[in-house]
Amino acid sequence: MPGHYLQSLLGERENIILATRHHWFVLASSIFLEIVLILIIFIATLAGTIYLMGRNIAAWPIATTVGFILLLVPILTGTRDVLNWTNHQFIITNHRVMQISGIFNKSVIDSSLDKVNDLKMEQSALGRLFGYG
């Protein structure tokens, strides 16, 4: 339970001010290639199966099976990307700033607000339009 884990990290009289994660554009850019590969593999498998069935070649079940097994690769990497995005959080409390990442093994980086001296903000035109940066 991510909320329970986060609550266990908080100190006495420490309150969460903001809990957020990367913008969804980061997720979309990382899974775009997987979506394209899924479509290409599916169409190639379908076309290969239809071609082999039309020629009465008995290898069409093997080609179909191999094609659908190949589909698992981009599906699994896309699932991994979604899980990584979901489990990577940035937390601001009244005492510190934390970055929590990891699905099974958690990694926490935190800095006290007293030690934050400088901030730098860069925001592109798309970032301003869609609210990230």
Side-chain angles (χ1 to χ4, degrees):
M1 213 175 185
H4 178 68
Y5 180 75
L6 179 57
Q7 292 298 326
S8 70
L9 294 175
L10 298 179
E12 208 172 286
R13 290 186 299 252
E14 187 173 15
N15 300 320
I16 298 173
I17 297 171
L18 177 69
T20 189
R21 57 180 42 96
H22 285 291
H23 196 270
W24 64 270
F25 274 5
V26 173
L27 175 64
S29 66
S30 67
I31 65 170
F32 178 74
L33 179 62
E34 282 96 353
I35 293 171
V36 170
L37 283 174
I38 287 170
L39 291 173
I40 290 171
I41 292 170
F42 181 75
I43 291 170
T45 301
L46 191 62
T49 302
I50 291 171
Y51 174 78
L52 292 175
M53 286 177 72
R55 300 218 178 244
N56 290 328
I57 299 174
W60 70 267
I62 296 170
T64 305
T65 304
V66 168
F68 284 112
I69 289 173
L70 284 176
L71 271 177
L72 291 176
V73 174
I75 289 172
L76 291 175
T77 57
T79 303
R80 184 203 61 209
D81 291 340
V82 169
L83 286 173
N84 283 336
W85 180 80
T86 304
N87 289 294
H88 193 120
Q89 289 184 313
F90 301 97
I91 313 294
I92 299 174
T93 70
N94 55 341
H95 295 284
R96 58 189 167 155
V97 177
M98 296 186 292
Q99 176 183 346
I100 302 172
S101 60
I103 299 168
F104 299 112
N105 299 326
K106 294 289 187 181
S107 172
V108 179
I109 300 170
D110 66 20
S111 296
S112 174
L113 287 179
D114 297 336
K115 296 185 182 197
V116 176
N117 292 327
D118 298 324
L119 294 173
K120 179 181 178 183
M121 181 180 153
E122 290 185 24
Q123 196 172 28
S124 65
L126 280 177
R128 290 181 60 202
L129 182 65
F130 292 107
Y132 70 90

